[in-house]
Amino acid sequence: MDESSSTAMVGGDNNELLLPLKEWVDLSKLAEQQQQSSVLPSPENLRNAQLDYVARAVAVAVVVLGKLLALEENNYDWCPRHISIDNIHLEMGAGDVSILRRRETTIDLTSLQNIQDVELLIPQNISSNGGVSSDEIFKNVGLILYYVFSRGEVPPSSAEQSENNNIAEETMSNARGEMRRRGDESLDDSSQDESDSYEEKAGPNKGRQKVSIQEATKTFRGMSISNVEDALSQKGLSPAICRLIADLIIAPEDVDTNFQSLSEAVAEIRQIMRIPEICFGRDTDSNNSTTNLLSLRFGDGIVGRTDEVGMLLQASARAQMDTESSHICLIGGMAGVGKSYLVDSVKDALMSNGWIYLSCKFDRLMRNQPLVTIASAMESFIQQLINERGLPDGFDADAVVAAIEQSLSASGIVVLSDLVPSLRVLYRPIFAHVIMDDSEEELNYVATETTHDDDDDDVLYEDGISSANTLRNRLHYLFGRLIEAISSVEHPILLFLDDLQWADASSLELLLSLLISWDHDDDTTQRFLIAGAFRSNEVDEAHILRRYIQQFETTRSVSVTNIQLDGITKYGTHVLVSEALLLPLRLTRGLADIVYAKSLGNPLFVKSLLRQLVDENILRYSLSKKRWVWDINDVKSVSVDDNVAELMKHKLLRLPNEVQNALKLISCFGIQVSNDIISMLCTSSESSSEAIITYLEQAQEEHILGHNDQVYKFAHDMLQQSAYDLMSPEEKGACHFRIGLHLMSSLSKEASYDELLFTVVDQINNAKLFGATDVSMDVSFAELNLQAGKRSMEVSDFESAWQYVVFGISYLPEAKWGPSTYELALGLHEAGALACFVNVDTKNLQLSLGEIFENAARFEDKIKAYYILAQNLASLNRANESMATVRFVLNELGEDIPEEVSPDDVEAAMMSTQQLLDGYSKEDIVGVPRLKDEKKQWAVKLMEFSLACAFMLSPRLLPILANRIINILVKDGACKESAFGFSAHSLCLIIIRRDIEAGYSCSKMAIALLESFDAPGSLHRIKTTLQNFVTFLVEPIQSTANVLLESYEGLRATGDNEYACLALNMYVSQSIMLGCSLPVIEIECEEFALRSLRLHQLQYCRNMSSTHNMILALTGNEEAKNPFNLLRDHGISTEDDLLQESLSSGRSGLSLHIYFSRLFAAFWLKKYTEAAEFAAQYRKLGRFSMRFIDIYHALYEGLTAFHLARCSTDKAIKTEWMGVGENSVDRFKVWQEHSTWNFENKLFLLEAECHRCTGEDDVADSKYLAAIESAQRHRFLHEEGLAAELYALFLAERGESDSSKTHLLRATACYEKWGASAVVNLLKSPE
C-alpha cells in the first residue's frame, strides 16, 4: 500500500525517519535474542536480556502514550480504529532507520533507543464515528501495549489462559497454538482491513496467521483481568505492567481502580519507568530470598518534600558561594515527619558535586558525654581519610591530611585527639613524642599513653583554673581550624546534626562558635553548611535550643534557612504506599486513603501502620499473583494507636520475649551501642554473646535495628524510646545499674578509657535517678563522677562537668567533710565552683564556694576557691573587690600587698628589683630553677592575675607586684607566670623612669623566660602587651606589626580571644602609622571588627569601628557601609553614640581611642582647631603612659600646635602653642636616640615646623629636606608626603613657587599611593 496516498499523518511529515512500531518490536526482539546468544547461557544472563527488552518497551510506551495524550488534549477527533499498531510509527534519529534495517548485522541498541517522536498514520477511508467510548480507547491502547511488551503477540482467550495455568511450562507453546485454532473458529466472518491486523514476524512461532483487532476484541469476551495478567506474567513482566495492560484492555469491576483518563494511564507508565522495582518486578535481584519478597520496600528516597528539598539545596548553593556569612538550615517538625530523610535525600546529589557529608545524632540518654556527638562526625571523617573510603570524587586526601597538620599544629592535634581518637592513627609520628604547650598542660604524650592517672588530672585541672575560658575557646578554635582545613570551594562540608532538641549546652556553644567565629573574606576557601533537625513540638520558649536559635537568627553574619515539616500530603501518602508495595498509584488509591486518614500523613506512622497490616496478615504478598493484596474492609477495621510511640511499642510487644529483653538492654545506651560494649556486657554477665547477637539479628530482620562493623543502631529514635518504655521505672533503674556495675570491671583496661568512663558513670547516674544504687559503693561512684567532671572540663564542657559534680556530691555521706571523704568533697566542690564560674551560674558558684570556705580545714585548701572568686568578681567589673580578695590571700601567704602606695614605695620597689636583677643576664634568668613550693606558685599566679587590675585601679601597685614576683623568682625559682613580673617591671622602667634601654632589655628577659617554658599562649600574650608599650620604641614598626598578626594566630590557637582581638587592634593602628594602603586597611578594619564581634570581644569591635570611621574620613569613601552598623544591637549608630557610652561607662581606653582617631582625621583634613580640641581632650582624660597611641598623639598634637602658633596673632596664645609643640620636640629627641628608624623623620619635621615658627628659615629648610629624606628611607610613605606638603607651603611663603609646586606634586603622589583620596582632593582644591 502506498502510505503517501492512502494515509494522513498526525504530528509530522518526515517519512524518511519513520519506523513502524511493529517493525520496532521485531527489531527489539531480535536484539534481545542476539544479546542472549552473545553471552554464556545462564538464568542471570537470559534474565538481563529480558529486562533490557522491558526497559526499551517501557520507554516506547511512555513516548506512544504521551503522543496520544497530546492529541487528546488538542481535541483530536478520535476513532477507536485510529489507535492501531499499524498506524503508529516511531520517528528515529537521522540515519537510524537504515542502520536498523540491516538485519545481517547486530542490532544497534543506540539507534534502537533513539526515538525522537511518534507519528500516527490514519487511513483516509476511516473517519471518526463521534461519541467514542473511553473504554474502547483504553482497550485499543492496552492491545498496543500488550503487543509491545509480549514481543508481538496478542492476548489469548479465557479458555486458553485457563488451560495455560494447568499445564507444564515446556508444553505451553503448543497448547497456545491449539487454543488459538479453537479461538479462530469462533470468530465471525466480518470483513477486516489489513491495516488492523497483528502479525508475528519474529520469534519461535513463525508463520502465525494474522489476527485482527476485531478478532482480538472478541477474544476478550469471557476473559478476566487475571487471565491477561497471568499471560503477561509468564513473559517475565512485573505485576505493575501486567495489571496496567490488563486494566486497559478489560475495565476492572472495582470502579476505584478504573482508568479515568488517558492522562492517568500516561502517569502510571511514567511511574513504572521511574521506579525500577515497579518496572522490572521485585525478583530482579538474584539474591532475593522469599523473606525479602515478603517484605515491604521503603526506599531511601523522600516523598512529598519537593519544596523542602529545593530549600535545602538552595541553602547549600548559597553556602558554597557566599564568603560573607555562615549558613545554617534549621529543620523542625514532630517525630517521624522525615527530618532526617530530608537531609539524607540530598546527600548523594551533594556528594556527587564534591560535598563532604558529616553527620551525628544527639541522644536523650547520653547527653553528658562532653562534645562526643559533634566529635563523632569528625571521627568518622578522619577514619574515611585513613581508609580512603567514602570520600567525594576528586578529593585529595593527602593534601587534606597535610592541611590539617599545618592548620592545627602538633599540639592542637593532640588536644583534639581526646575527642577524635583516630587523629592518633593518622598522625602517629606526632604522638611518638609531643610536649603540650604549657598554656594548658605540662604533659608529655606518647603514642602508647592512653590512661589518665590522678596526678596527671590534677596538673591539668589546676592549670585549667586560670584558663577555663581559654580552654573552651581553644577547643572551639581547633574545631574551626579542622573544618577550615578539610573544606574548600570544591569540597564544601555539610554537617548534619540530628535531634538538636537533646543537644547539651556545650555542643550548642560549639555550634554557635563555629557559625559566628568563622573568618569571612574574599580569599577564604572554607565552605560550610550546618543542617540541624529538631522536634519543634518539644522546643518551647524556655528550651535551651530556642535561645541559641534566636542568636542564630539575630546575628547578621549568620544566614538561617528555616524549614518546617508537617505530615506529607494525601498525594504524598499515596506515593509512599504505592512505592512500598511496588504497585501503581491507581491500584493502591483506596488503601492509601485509609492509611492517610489514620496516620495524618506522618511518614513514620504510615510505614509503621503498613508493617502492622503485614504483621496482622491483612496486607500480604501473593506468590501466585506476585504482588501485594489486601481486603479493603479488613484494612478499615484495623484500630491504630493515637501516636507513633504506642504503635511501635505494640510492634515490639509482638516480638519474642528474648528479643524484647535484648532491645531493652541496648535501649539503655540510647540510639546506638558499640559492639565492644555488647562484648563487655556478655563477658561480665551470664548471657552469651552469641545469644544476644542472635536476638539482635532478629530485631534487624524486623527493621528495628541497623548494624555495621562498629555499632547496633535503632532505625529511629522513636523505636529506642519505645523499647526503653517497655520497662517500668524500677526495671529501668535496675537495668542501668546492672550495666554500670558490669562495665566498671572493664575500666581498668586502658583502651578507650574515657569513652568507657563516661558510659559507666552515665549508667550509674541514670540508675540513681530511678532510685537504684548501692550505698556501699557510693564513694566509688562519687570518685568516678569527679573523674568524669574533670575530663569534661579538659575538653571545655563545663555544663556536663557541673552535672557530674552534682551527682558526685549526691553520693557523699551526710558527714561528707569527714576524714574519709574530705579530699573527695573538696575536689568535687572545687570542680563545681570552676564549672559554675565558666557557666556564669552565680547562685551555684556562691554555694560551692561557701561550702569550701566554711568546711575546708586548711587555708591552703581554700586558695583555689579564692582564686575563682577573684576571677568571678573581675568578670563582673567589680575590680576593687577582686583586688581586695587577691590582697587578702597574698597577705595570708606572706606576701603583704599594701592598700595605699606612695611615690617612695614605688621608688623603693624599683630599686629593690634593680638590685635583685643586678648581675643577671637573660641566660641566667632562663636558667633559674623551676618553682616547686606550692604556696609560692599560688602567690605568683595571684599576683600575675592582679597586674591588669592594678594597672587600671592603682598603677603604683605595678612596681610593687613586679618586685614581689621577681623576688620569688630569684630566691625560690621560676614559673611561667614569673615572666609577667618582668614585663610589668619593663613597663615601669619606661613609664616611670623613661629608661627605654633598660625596659627593652627587661622585656627580652620576659620573652626568653616564657620561651623556656614552651608556653605559646602566654608568650603571644606578653608579646602583644610589649608591642604596645616597649618593642616599637626600639625596633622598626614594620617588623613589630607583623609580629602582632603572628600573635593573633597564636592567641586564637590557645583560646585567648581577648588578647587575640587586642593584637588585631594594635596591628591596624600600627599599619596606619606605617602609611600602609588605606583601602586595604579599610577592608581589614571591617573584617576585624566583625571578627571581634563574633569572638564576643565587644570592646575591640568598638575600637575597630572607630578606627574604620577614621579611615573612611581619609579615603572619602561615601559608598562604604556605616562602620557602626555592627553595634546597632547595642544601641550604637554613630561615633557620637559610642563616645557618649564610653564616657558614661568609664571606659577611658575607648574614649582615648576615639579622641585620637578624631585628632588624626582632623589633622590630615586640615581642621587644625578641631584637632587641637581633640588632642586636649585626650590629654585631660588619660595619663601619658608611653603607649603606642601616646607617641603619635604627641606627634600630631605638636604639629597642630605649631600650625596654630604660626596662624595666631595673639602673642600669649602663640607662646602657649609653641610650648605644646616644643614639648613634643623634646620627647622625640629622647625617643629618636633609641630608634632612628621610627622617630628620626618625625623629629626633623617637628623641628622644621618649630624653626619655621621662629623665623629660622634656613634651619627650617634643611630640616624639611631631612624629614622628607628620612621618611622615604625608613618607608613612612604618608609622612614623606606630609613633610613634602609642609615644605611646599614653606617654600610658597618664601616666594619659591616652582619648587613649591614640585614638592606639592610629590606630596600628592604619596597621598594617592597611600589611598587618602580626601586628602588629595584638599590639595587639588583651588581653596
Side-chain angles (χ1 to χ4, degrees):
M1 182 189 302
D2 185 358
E3 284 189 343
S4 62
S5 61
S6 63
T7 62
M9 187 161 53
V10 178
D13 57 4
N14 195 346
N15 294 337
E16 295 180 358
L17 302 179
L18 296 183
L19 183 70
L21 179 57
K22 292 171 63 177
E23 187 175 352
W24 183 93
V25 170
D26 293 342
L27 292 169
S28 191
K29 181 178 180 180
L30 181 59
E32 177 185 16
Q33 294 170 345
Q34 291 175 349
Q35 185 178 351
Q36 290 174 339
S37 62
S38 64
V39 295
L40 294 175
S42 70
E44 181 178 359
N45 292 334
L46 294 176
R47 182 59 175 152
N48 287 337
Q50 289 178 341
L51 295 179
D52 289 344
Y53 180 92
V54 172
R56 293 192 296 273
V58 170
V60 165
V62 168
V63 176
V64 170
L65 266 64
K67 183 68 173 186
L68 296 177
L69 177 62
L71 293 174
E72 182 183 74
E73 291 174 345
N74 288 326
N75 299 316
Y76 180 74
D77 192 14
W78 285 113
C79 171
R81 297 178 68 190
H82 293 179
I83 309 173
S84 164
I85 188 69
D86 293 297
N87 295 342
I88 297 175
H89 288 58
L90 304 179
E91 182 180 329
M92 312 301 290
D96 287 333
V97 174
S98 59
I99 293 175
L100 290 171
R101 285 173 171 165
R102 297 170 187 167
R103 296 295 185 97
E104 68 278 4
T105 61
T106 301
I107 301 297
D108 184 84
L109 294 179
T110 301
S111 299
L112 193 64
Q113 297 166 2
N114 190 20
I115 302 171
Q116 306 295 314
D117 198 358
V118 173
E119 309 298 349
L120 192 62
L121 303 184
I122 307 301
Q124 292 182 347
N125 60 343
I126 297 179
S127 61
S128 172
N129 299 321
V132 179
S133 166
S134 60
D135 286 347
E136 293 184 78
I137 295 175
F138 293 149
K139 179 183 64 179
N140 286 1
V141 169
L143 291 173
I144 293 171
L145 296 184
Y146 192 103
Y147 187 90
V148 170
F149 280 96
S150 65
R151 299 162 178 81
E153 293 185 8
V154 295
S157 68
S158 174
E160 177 185 358
Q161 186 58 39
S162 176
E163 185 173 345
N164 282 346
N165 291 335
N166 296 288
I167 61 176
E169 184 67 25
E170 58 270 19
T171 62
M172 193 170 292
S173 178
N174 294 332
R176 282 177 183 149
E178 179 61 26
M179 295 170 73
R180 288 192 190 94
R181 285 190 291 275
R182 292 202 302 269
D184 289 343
E185 295 171 359
S186 65
L187 295 178
D188 59 25
D189 297 327
S190 60
S191 62
Q192 301 164 24
D193 192 285
E194 187 175 335
S195 63
D196 291 329
S197 65
Y198 297 98
E199 183 177 4
E200 184 80 5
K201 292 188 178 181
N205 297 315
K206 293 181 180 180
R208 282 179 51 194
Q209 60 184 347
K210 299 177 182 178
V211 182
S212 69
I213 286 182
Q214 286 86 345
E215 292 171 347
T217 301
K218 292 180 180 179
T219 299
F220 298 121
R221 297 169 185 165
M223 281 193 66
S224 66
I225 291 176
S226 61
N227 296 146
V228 179
E229 279 190 275
D230 291 342
L232 290 170
S233 178
Q234 290 170 8
K235 301 182 183 303
L237 298 175
S238 70
I241 294 176
C242 296
R243 185 61 185 268
L244 166 68
I245 298 173
D247 286 353
L248 284 169
I249 295 174
I250 304 174
E253 294 180 3
D254 182 2
V255 294
D256 289 337
T257 59
N258 269 340
F259 282 108
Q260 305 300 318
S261 66
L262 191 58
S263 62
E264 198 173 60
V266 173
E268 187 163 315
I269 193 66
R270 285 175 176 167
Q271 183 190 17
I272 291 172
M273 182 179 185
R274 180 172 57 85
I275 303 175
E277 290 86 351
I278 296 180
C279 179
F280 301 122
R282 297 168 57 87
D283 58 348
T284 56
D285 185 354
S286 60
N287 295 322
N288 259 328
S289 63
T290 301
T291 302
N292 288 332
L293 287 172
L294 300 182
S295 301
L296 296 169
R297 294 288 184 91
F298 297 111
D300 296 330
I302 191 166
V303 173
R305 302 295 189 195
T306 303
D307 292 342
E308 292 85 352
V309 168
M311 293 175 67
L312 186 52
L313 290 175
Q314 288 172 11
S316 65
R318 289 193 296 271
Q320 189 168 11
M321 301 303 297
D322 187 9
T323 61
E324 296 183 358
S325 302
S326 301
H327 293 262
I328 182 170
C329 184
L330 295 171
I331 306 166
M334 296 181 66
V337 296
K339 301 181 293 293
S340 305
Y341 267 85
L342 176 65
V343 180
D344 286 341
S345 70
V346 303
K347 172 184 174 182
D348 291 341
L350 290 179
M351 290 191 68
S352 66
N353 286 314
W355 280 70
I356 299 166
Y357 180 78
L358 309 177
S359 66
C360 58
K361 187 179 182 70
F362 291 96
D363 197 319
R364 65 192 178 103
L365 287 184
M366 307 297 285
R367 296 177 64 181
N368 285 338
Q369 294 190 18
L371 299 178
V372 68
T373 303
I374 295 180
S376 68
M378 300 300 173
E379 171 70 5
S380 297
F381 176 76
I382 298 300
Q383 290 178 358
Q384 290 174 355
L385 277 182
I386 294 171
N387 300 323
E388 296 187 355
R389 292 186 301 181
L391 300 172
D393 294 339
F395 189 79
D396 191 340
D398 292 337
V400 170
V401 171
I404 292 174
E405 183 172 3
Q406 181 179 3
S407 182
L408 297 183
S409 77
S411 63
I413 289 173
V414 173
V415 169
L416 272 187
S417 69
D418 279 346
L419 290 167
V420 188
S422 290
L423 288 171
R424 297 176 180 270
V425 179
L426 191 61
Y427 298 100
R428 290 185 188 277
I430 289 177
F431 288 88
H433 184 73
V434 173
I435 301 178
M436 296 297 298
D437 57 343
D438 203 28
S439 58
E440 283 83 26
E441 304 177 3
E442 297 178 44
L443 298 176
N444 290 334
Y445 279 73
V446 293
T448 58
E449 181 181 20
T450 54
T451 59
H452 300 272
D453 59 46
D454 293 339
D455 291 339
D456 286 345
D457 283 342
D458 289 341
V459 173
L460 293 169
Y461 171 64
E462 289 203 12
D463 202 49
I465 292 177
S466 63
S467 56
N469 280 316
T470 60
L471 276 172
R472 171 156 51 190
N473 293 339
R474 181 181 192 186
L475 200 61
H476 291 180
Y477 173 79
L478 291 174
F479 267 108
R481 292 304 296 266
L482 179 60
I483 290 173
E484 180 181 354
I486 295 171
S487 68
S488 64
V489 177
E490 295 79 15
H491 298 292
I493 288 177
L494 171 61
L495 174 59
F496 175 42
L497 309 176
D498 201 3
D499 282 326
L500 272 176
Q501 75 276 358
W502 292 328
D504 57 280
S506 291
S507 296
L508 292 173
E509 196 63 31
L510 172 58
L511 177 60
L512 179 64
S513 174
L514 291 175
L515 287 169
I516 70 175
S517 301
W518 202 258
D519 293 342
H520 295 282
D521 55 60
D522 292 337
D523 296 328
T524 187
T525 59
Q526 66 257 28
R527 296 295 188 274
F528 182 40
L529 171 64
I530 293 175
F534 64 98
R535 296 182 185 176
S536 52
N537 59 308
E538 297 182 15
V539 180
D540 56 20
E541 291 302 317
H543 197 285
I544 184 176
L545 177 61
R546 181 61 60 190
R547 185 174 80 245
Y548 282 91
I549 290 176
Q550 290 171 351
Q551 290 191 63
F552 300 153
E553 292 177 339
T554 56
T555 301
R556 289 188 175 89
S557 60
V558 178
S559 174
V560 180
T561 299
N562 286 300
I563 299 177
Q564 177 64 34
L565 293 185
D566 299 312
I568 58 178
T569 62
K570 187 174 183 179
Y571 175 75
T573 304
H574 282 206
V575 174
L576 185 57
V577 173
S578 166
E579 295 183 1
L581 304 182
L582 299 182
L583 289 173
L585 287 164
R586 176 178 54 85
L587 300 183
T588 58
R589 185 186 298 128
L591 173 64
D593 283 342
I594 299 173
V595 170
Y596 177 76
K598 293 178 180 291
S599 67
L600 298 180
N602 184 301
L604 183 60
F605 208 148
V606 171
K607 295 176 182 179
S608 300
L609 180 55
L610 289 175
R611 288 191 173 114
Q612 178 183 344
L613 295 175
V614 173
D615 292 341
E616 296 180 8
N617 204 34
I618 295 173
L619 180 62
R620 57 195 179 278
Y621 188 78
S622 170
L623 291 175
S624 62
K625 295 181 178 296
K626 295 185 179 181
R627 66 178 180 87
W628 291 94
V629 296
W630 59 91
D631 186 299
I632 200 68
N633 292 320
D634 290 344
V635 175
K636 291 178 180 178
S637 66
V638 171
S639 61
V640 296
D641 298 289
D642 293 334
N643 58 67
V644 183
E646 286 299 315
L647 185 64
M648 293 184 171
K649 184 177 180 180
H650 288 163
K651 175 181 177 66
L652 297 179
L653 287 172
R654 288 192 290 268
L655 297 172
N657 288 336
E658 296 83 359
V659 178
Q660 289 184 44
N661 291 334
L663 291 174
K664 291 176 187 177
L665 178 71
I666 67 170
S667 73
C668 290
F669 293 93
I671 192 70
Q672 66 181 34
V673 60
S674 70
N675 295 342
D676 293 338
I677 294 293
I678 296 292
S679 299
M680 291 179 195
L681 288 175
C682 295
T683 302
S684 307
S685 66
E686 297 179 358
S687 302
S688 68
S689 176
E690 292 78 8
I692 290 183
I693 290 175
T694 298
Y695 302 143
L696 295 180
E697 287 176 347
Q698 291 182 41
Q700 285 180 256
E701 294 175 0
E702 296 294 329
H703 306 285
I704 296 169
L705 291 179
H707 182 242
N708 58 30
D709 295 338
Q710 297 179 335
V711 298
Y712 284 92
K713 184 175 182 179
F714 281 93
H716 195 278
D717 53 79
M718 294 295 293
L719 282 167
Q720 181 272 330
Q721 180 180 330
S722 298
Y724 191 65
D725 289 341
L726 289 176
M727 297 182 285
S728 67
E730 293 77 12
E731 290 173 321
K732 290 175 182 177
C735 191
H736 281 300
F737 192 71
R738 186 168 62 252
I739 291 170
L741 288 183
H742 286 164
L743 295 180
M744 276 183 68
S745 62
S746 301
L747 270 178
S748 58
K749 299 177 182 180
E750 297 181 358
S752 303
Y753 177 86
D754 283 350
E755 181 181 354
L756 187 57
L757 168 67
F758 289 114
T759 301
V760 169
V761 175
D762 286 344
Q763 293 295 328
I764 295 296
N765 292 345
N766 284 332
K768 186 176 179 63
L769 292 175
F770 292 105
T773 189
D774 183 345
V775 177
S776 66
M777 300 187 69
D778 276 359
V779 173
S780 296
F781 297 157
E783 290 173 343
L784 287 174
N785 272 282
L786 178 57
Q787 289 183 47
K790 288 182 175 182
R791 291 297 294 145
S792 296
M793 286 190 283
E794 289 170 18
V795 293
S796 80
D797 188 355
F798 294 91
E799 288 80 7
S800 295
W802 171 242
Q803 297 300 321
Y804 286 122
V805 166
V806 171
F807 269 109
I809 292 174
S810 72
Y811 287 110
L812 294 176
E814 186 175 350
K816 57 187 174 185
W817 291 96
S820 62
T821 55
Y822 176 84
E823 293 296 334
L824 181 56
L826 179 63
L828 282 166
H829 284 91
E830 286 176 342
L834 177 58
C836 291
F837 163 60
V838 179
N839 295 336
V840 198
D841 185 351
T842 304
K843 179 181 177 180
N844 284 312
L845 172 61
Q846 292 174 345
L847 291 173
S848 297
L849 293 175
E851 278 280 330
I852 297 172
F853 294 147
E854 182 179 348
N855 296 288
R858 302 177 304 161
F859 181 78
E860 292 88 330
D861 294 339
K862 302 179 182 180
I863 295 177
K864 293 178 185 176
Y866 278 118
Y867 186 30
I868 295 172
L869 176 60
Q871 291 185 89
N872 185 58
L873 290 169
S875 70
L876 297 174
N877 292 322
R878 295 159 64 181
N880 283 309
E881 295 174 67
S882 177
M883 194 69 200
T885 302
V886 172
R887 185 181 288 110
F888 165 73
V889 178
L890 288 173
N891 291 343
E892 291 291 324
L893 293 174
E895 299 292 339
D896 294 332
I897 305 297
E899 294 187 22
E900 299 293 335
V901 181
S902 67
D904 291 341
D905 294 333
V906 171
E907 183 60 29
M910 294 195 67
M911 286 295 296
S912 173
T913 303
Q914 184 175 340
Q915 292 170 2
L916 286 170
L917 295 177
D918 189 29
Y920 273 86
S921 65
K922 182 171 66 176
E923 291 73 19
D924 294 332
I925 295 298
V926 171
V928 169
R930 297 306 188 238
L931 182 60
K932 301 297 183 181
D933 188 310
E934 185 178 356
K935 289 185 178 181
K936 297 293 183 182
Q937 288 177 349
W938 272 114
V940 175
K941 186 185 291 286
L942 286 161
M943 286 188 283
E944 183 269 330
F945 165 75
S946 65
L947 287 172
C949 290
F951 188 80
M952 292 186 296
L953 299 174
S954 178
R956 289 178 179 176
L957 266 180
L958 211 59
I960 306 296
L961 293 169
N963 173 254
R964 300 297 173 82
I965 293 173
I966 293 174
N967 184 63
I968 292 175
L969 176 139
V970 172
K971 295 181 178 179
D972 300 287
C975 58
K976 72 173 185 291
E977 289 82 7
S978 304
F980 290 90
F982 282 89
S983 68
H985 184 58
S986 171
L987 299 185
C988 293
L989 287 169
I990 291 174
I991 296 171
I992 298 173
R993 288 191 173 178
R994 299 293 194 263
D995 190 341
I996 295 175
E997 183 177 351
Y1000 179 73
S1001 176
C1002 191
S1003 73
K1004 292 301 181 184
M1005 287 185 176
I1007 292 174
L1009 182 59
L1010 270 179
E1011 288 176 339
S1012 72
F1013 278 94
D1014 189 26
S1018 297
L1019 179 62
H1020 289 302
R1021 187 170 187 169
I1022 212 167
K1023 280 185 176 181
T1024 300
T1025 301
L1026 294 174
Q1027 293 295 328
N1028 194 29
F1029 286 95
V1030 181
T1031 312
F1032 76 95
L1033 292 169
V1034 179
E1035 300 176 12
I1037 300 177
Q1038 286 87 347
S1039 63
T1040 63
N1042 292 329
V1043 171
L1044 287 167
L1045 273 186
E1046 295 172 4
S1047 293
Y1048 165 77
E1049 294 294 340
L1051 289 162
R1052 286 283 284 120
T1054 54
D1056 195 339
N1057 292 342
E1058 180 182 0
Y1059 264 74
C1061 292
L1062 172 61
L1064 285 182
N1065 270 261
M1066 291 174 55
Y1067 166 76
V1068 169
S1069 295
Q1070 293 196 7
S1071 296
I1072 293 171
M1073 300 311 151
L1074 276 171
C1076 296
S1077 170
L1078 288 177
V1080 172
I1081 301 175
E1082 178 186 334
I1083 295 171
E1084 290 178 332
C1085 257
E1086 184 176 5
E1087 177 193 339
F1088 293 164
L1090 181 58
R1091 196 176 298 182
S1092 299
L1093 189 64
R1094 289 171 177 160
L1095 295 175
H1096 306 288
Q1097 301 302 316
L1098 185 60
Q1099 68 274 31
Y1100 297 117
C1101 179
R1102 293 186 180 104
N1103 282 16
M1104 200 69 76
S1105 297
S1106 178
T1107 303
H1108 189 191
N1109 191 57
M1110 176 190 74
I1111 294 172
L1112 291 179
L1114 298 179
T1115 60
N1117 186 355
E1118 298 179 355
E1119 297 179 357
K1121 299 177 184 177
N1122 181 357
F1124 302 101
N1125 283 345
L1126 292 176
L1127 301 173
R1128 282 185 177 174
D1129 292 342
H1130 303 277
I1132 306 297
S1133 299
T1134 66
E1135 191 173 66
D1136 287 337
D1137 294 338
L1138 185 61
L1139 179 60
Q1140 184 59 41
E1141 183 202 58
S1142 67
L1143 292 172
S1144 62
S1145 60
R1147 295 190 179 96
S1148 58
L1150 175 58
S1151 301
L1152 286 171
H1153 184 85
I1154 294 172
Y1155 282 135
F1156 176 77
S1157 296
R1158 291 183 168 186
L1159 160 64
F1160 188 81
F1163 174 83
W1164 282 99
L1165 296 177
K1166 313 297 186 287
K1167 301 175 182 179
Y1168 297 108
T1169 302
E1170 291 182 20
E1173 291 174 0
F1174 296 139
Q1177 289 170 321
Y1178 182 99
R1179 254 188 296 109
K1180 290 177 184 178
L1181 192 62
R1183 61 190 181 277
F1184 189 83
S1185 301
M1186 295 288 286
R1187 291 165 295 196
F1188 184 82
I1189 195 174
D1190 292 332
I1191 302 298
Y1192 281 87
H1193 170 268
L1195 171 64
Y1196 290 104
E1197 185 180 43
L1199 292 173
T1200 300
F1202 285 132
H1203 176 86
L1204 294 175
R1206 193 166 58 248
C1207 297
S1208 177
T1209 57
D1210 187 301
K1211 185 175 181 180
I1213 294 177
K1214 180 173 184 176
T1215 300
E1216 182 181 349
W1217 285 124
M1218 286 297 294
V1220 173
E1222 288 168 353
N1223 182 49
S1224 293
V1225 172
D1226 292 340
R1227 286 177 169 175
F1228 272 90
K1229 283 181 178 178
V1230 175
W1231 300 333
Q1232 187 268 342
E1233 292 176 0
H1234 298 282
S1235 179
T1236 300
W1237 185 284
N1238 291 338
F1239 305 121
E1240 181 187 68
N1241 72 295
K1242 301 168 183 62
L1243 174 60
F1244 285 152
L1245 187 57
L1246 284 166
E1247 288 177 332
E1249 286 286 280
C1250 181
H1251 290 301
R1252 179 182 175 188
C1253 288
T1254 59
E1256 301 170 270
D1257 289 357
D1258 290 342
V1259 180
D1261 189 283
S1262 64
K1263 291 293 184 181
Y1264 278 126
L1265 290 173
I1268 295 170
E1269 187 277 332
S1270 179
Q1272 182 185 34
R1273 177 159 42 89
H1274 297 126
R1275 304 201 300 275
F1276 294 105
L1277 175 69
H1278 62 314
E1279 292 171 0
E1280 177 190 348
L1282 177 60
E1285 178 189 353
L1286 294 177
Y1287 185 40
L1289 296 175
F1290 169 73
L1291 292 172
E1293 289 176 359
R1294 297 176 62 181
E1296 302 179 31
S1297 59
D1298 291 342
S1299 183
S1300 173
K1301 290 179 181 178
T1302 299
H1303 283 87
L1304 200 60
L1305 289 173
R1306 179 172 185 172
T1308 302
C1310 289
Y1311 294 156
E1312 287 177 342
K1313 190 172 181 181
W1314 186 29
S1317 299
V1319 179
V1320 172
N1321 292 337
L1322 281 175
L1323 285 187
K1324 294 181 177 180
S1325 172
E1327 299 178 1

